[in-house]
């Protein structure tokens, strides 16, 4: 990984989550945003926001905070492989649509990004920002363990995967990144197997392919978010990935409950 000031970032997905994160980080670092829709890529490169967000539109016009020199270092591309090849961090903000009938999140877009990153730059640290079910990131360590242990291209490499939940509102996504209520980054921890036997397999996978520097990577990513924010002294928490996923789920549930309550009133 490069020195902090020279860190380069790729962002997979340019919806509210991806584009707001890309804009935030592009104030101080080289950021490449990846999307599959040519019109969105063209708009971003022309500094036209493809989504409605007052602060993104403002930043795209060059109205940046004092201390940000030279404008946003942000480029959009359709070429994911090229973007991920030079990145220190890959932020995964791919869509995960929830199917209420089947009661599951469609996470195949996330794994498409992970597979591409591993094929071109397995040393990159991947940070999932998409909404996912509790336990998903630990299950990915199990899923990819065999690949890391058998694929010659991944010999000696580690699976650098983190999860950082977002707490954003549509149309105010960049504002919520500039003034975040908290920053949470989850990294792989060994859980007590006497409480849940399923954790044995996950722990074994994390021991086999996880990186001992994962918590340091988590701290670096949090520092990137803090650097881009305007708010100071942001509450920042580091925890296991399963706990971080639960925080996101509980926050969404609380918001849904509030909406339902006021609708009843």
């Amino acid at each position: 990984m490069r020195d902090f000031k020279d860190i380069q970032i790729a962002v997979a997905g340019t919806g509210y989550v991806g584009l707001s994160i890309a804009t935030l980080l592009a104030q101080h670092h080289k950021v490449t945003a990846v999307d599959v829709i040519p019109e969105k890529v063209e708009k971003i490169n022309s500094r036209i926001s493809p989504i409605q967000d007052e602060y993104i539109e403002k930043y795209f016009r060059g109205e940046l905070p004092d201390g940000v020199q030279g404008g946003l270092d942000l480029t959009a591309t359709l070429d994911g492989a090229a973007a991920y090849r030079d990145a220190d961090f890959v932020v995964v903000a791919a869509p995960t649509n929830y199917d209420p009938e089947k009661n599951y999140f469609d996470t195949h877009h996330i794994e498409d990004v992970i597979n591409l990153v591993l094929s071109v730059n397995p040393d990159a640290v991947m940070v999932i920002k998409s909404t996912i079910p509790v336990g998903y990131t630990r299950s990915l360590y199990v899923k990819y363990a065999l690949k890391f242990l058998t694929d010659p291209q991944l010999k000696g490499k580690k699976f650098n995967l983190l999860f950082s939940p977002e707490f954003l509102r549509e149309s105010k996504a960049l504002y919520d990144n500039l003034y975040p209520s908290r920053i949470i980054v989850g990294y792989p921890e060994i859980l007590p197997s006497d409480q849940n036997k399923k954790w044995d397999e996950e722990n074994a996978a994390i021991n086999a392919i996880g990186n001992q520097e994962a918590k340091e990577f988590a701290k670096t990513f949090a520092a990137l978010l803090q650097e881009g924010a305007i708010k100071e002294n942001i509450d920042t928490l580091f925890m296991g990935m399963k706990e971080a996923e639960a925080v996101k789920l509980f926050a969404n549930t609380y918001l849904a409950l509030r909406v339902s309550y006021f609708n009843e009133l």
Side-chain angles (χ1 to χ4, degrees), residues 193-219:
S193 58
D194 60 338
Q195 296 183 21
N196 188 329
K197 290 300 180 185
K198 180 185 175 183
W199 293 346
D200 279 343
E201 184 181 20
E202 296 172 351
N203 289 340
I206 289 170
N207 280 327
I209 66 172
N211 198 322
Q212 292 184 347
E213 296 184 60
K215 188 171 184 178
E216 293 305 312
F217 294 152
K219 291 179 179 179

Side-chain angles (χ1 to χ4, degrees), residues 110-219:
I110 292 177
E111 289 166 45
D112 289 344
V113 173
I114 291 173
N115 290 334
L116 184 54
V117 172
L118 292 180
S119 70
V120 298
N121 184 10
D123 291 323
V125 179
M126 295 170 283
V127 185
I128 295 177
K129 274 283 184 182
S130 307
T131 300
I132 53 176
V134 176
Y136 176 68
T137 44
R138 284 178 64 89
S139 75
L140 287 180
Y141 275 82
V142 175
K143 178 174 182 176
Y144 283 93
L146 185 61
K147 182 178 179 66
F148 268 80
L149 297 175
T150 58
D151 188 335
Q153 290 186 323
L154 296 175
K155 184 178 181 180
K157 301 293 185 180
K158 296 297 182 181
F159 192 35
N160 302 316
L161 182 69
L162 308 173
F163 174 69
S164 179
E166 49 80 16
F167 307 99
L168 309 177
R169 296 168 292 173
E170 288 190 8
S171 302
K172 292 186 175 293
L174 180 55
Y175 178 90
D176 289 339
N177 273 306
L178 294 169
Y179 299 93
S181 59
R182 69 277 205 202
I183 292 172
I184 294 174
V185 188
Y187 62 95
E189 284 187 323
I190 301 301
L191 298 178
S193 58
D194 60 338
Q195 296 183 21
N196 188 329
K197 290 300 180 185
K198 180 185 175 183
W199 293 346
D200 279 343
E201 184 181 20
E202 296 172 351
N203 289 340
I206 289 170
N207 280 327
I209 66 172
N211 198 322
Q212 292 184 347
E213 296 184 60
K215 188 171 184 178
E216 293 305 312
F217 294 152
K219 291 179 179 179

Side-chain angles (χ1 to χ4, degrees):
M1 185 177 292
R2 298 175 177 88
D3 290 340
F4 184 83
K5 64 181 178 61
D6 298 320
I7 283 176
Q8 296 185 18
I9 303 135
V11 179
T14 61
Y16 282 101
V17 176
L19 189 56
S20 62
I21 287 287
T23 305
L24 178 86
L25 298 176
Q27 297 176 89
H28 301 288
H29 297 272
K30 180 179 180 181
V31 177
T32 305
V34 180
D35 207 291
V36 297
I37 302 174
E39 292 78 12
K40 292 184 74 175
V41 168
E42 184 178 345
K43 280 188 173 183
I44 293 169
N45 287 332
S46 300
R47 292 299 183 263
I48 300 171
S49 177
I51 59 176
Q52 182 180 349
D53 187 295
E54 177 187 354
Y55 271 74
I56 290 177
E57 293 166 3
K58 177 181 174 181
Y59 275 49
F60 274 19
R61 291 194 299 266
E63 300 174 26
L64 303 175
D66 294 339
V68 178
Q69 304 295 327
L72 298 175
D73 193 352
L74 173 62
T75 304
T77 182
L78 297 168
D79 189 347
Y84 306 147
R85 187 173 289 114
D86 295 326
D88 298 291
F89 282 89
V90 176
V91 179
V92 184
T96 53
N97 297 322
Y98 178 73
D99 188 331
E101 293 185 3
K102 296 181 180 179
N103 193 31
Y104 87 111
F105 286 92
D106 181 1
T107 56
H108 82 272
H109 291 300
I110 292 177
E111 289 166 45
D112 289 344
V113 173
I114 291 173
N115 290 334
L116 184 54
V117 172
L118 292 180
S119 70
V120 298
N121 184 10
D123 291 323
V125 179
M126 295 170 283
V127 185
I128 295 177
K129 274 283 184 182
S130 307
T131 300
I132 53 176
V134 176
Y136 176 68
T137 44
R138 284 178 64 89
S139 75
L140 287 180
Y141 275 82
V142 175
K143 178 174 182 176
Y144 283 93
L146 185 61
K147 182 178 179 66
F148 268 80
L149 297 175
T150 58
D151 188 335
Q153 290 186 323
L154 296 175
K155 184 178 181 180
K157 301 293 185 180
K158 296 297 182 181
F159 192 35
N160 302 316
L161 182 69
L162 308 173
F163 174 69
S164 179
E166 49 80 16
F167 307 99
L168 309 177
R169 296 168 292 173
E170 288 190 8
S171 302
K172 292 186 175 293
L174 180 55
Y175 178 90
D176 289 339
N177 273 306
L178 294 169
Y179 299 93
S181 59
R182 69 277 205 202
I183 292 172
I184 294 174
V185 188
Y187 62 95
E189 284 187 323
I190 301 301
L191 298 178
S193 58
D194 60 338
Q195 296 183 21
N196 188 329
K197 290 300 180 185
K198 180 185 175 183
W199 293 346
D200 279 343
E201 184 181 20
E202 296 172 351
N203 289 340
I206 289 170
N207 280 327
I209 66 172
N211 198 322
Q212 292 184 347
E213 296 184 60
K215 188 171 184 178
E216 293 305 312
F217 294 152
K219 291 179 179 179
T220 301
F221 184 71
L224 290 169
L225 300 179
Q226 292 166 343
E227 179 187 40
I230 295 175
K231 180 180 178 181
E232 298 180 354
N233 302 317
I234 304 164
D235 290 336
T236 303
L237 302 171
F238 302 98
M239 61 188 69
M241 294 185 295
K242 190 184 290 285
E243 291 93 325
E245 292 163 345
V247 168
K248 172 61 177 174
L249 174 65
F250 297 156
N252 282 1
T253 303
Y254 173 66
L255 291 175
L257 180 64
R258 281 194 353 179
V259 170
S260 298
Y261 176 74
F262 284 109
N263 282 343
E264 286 297 317
L265 291 178

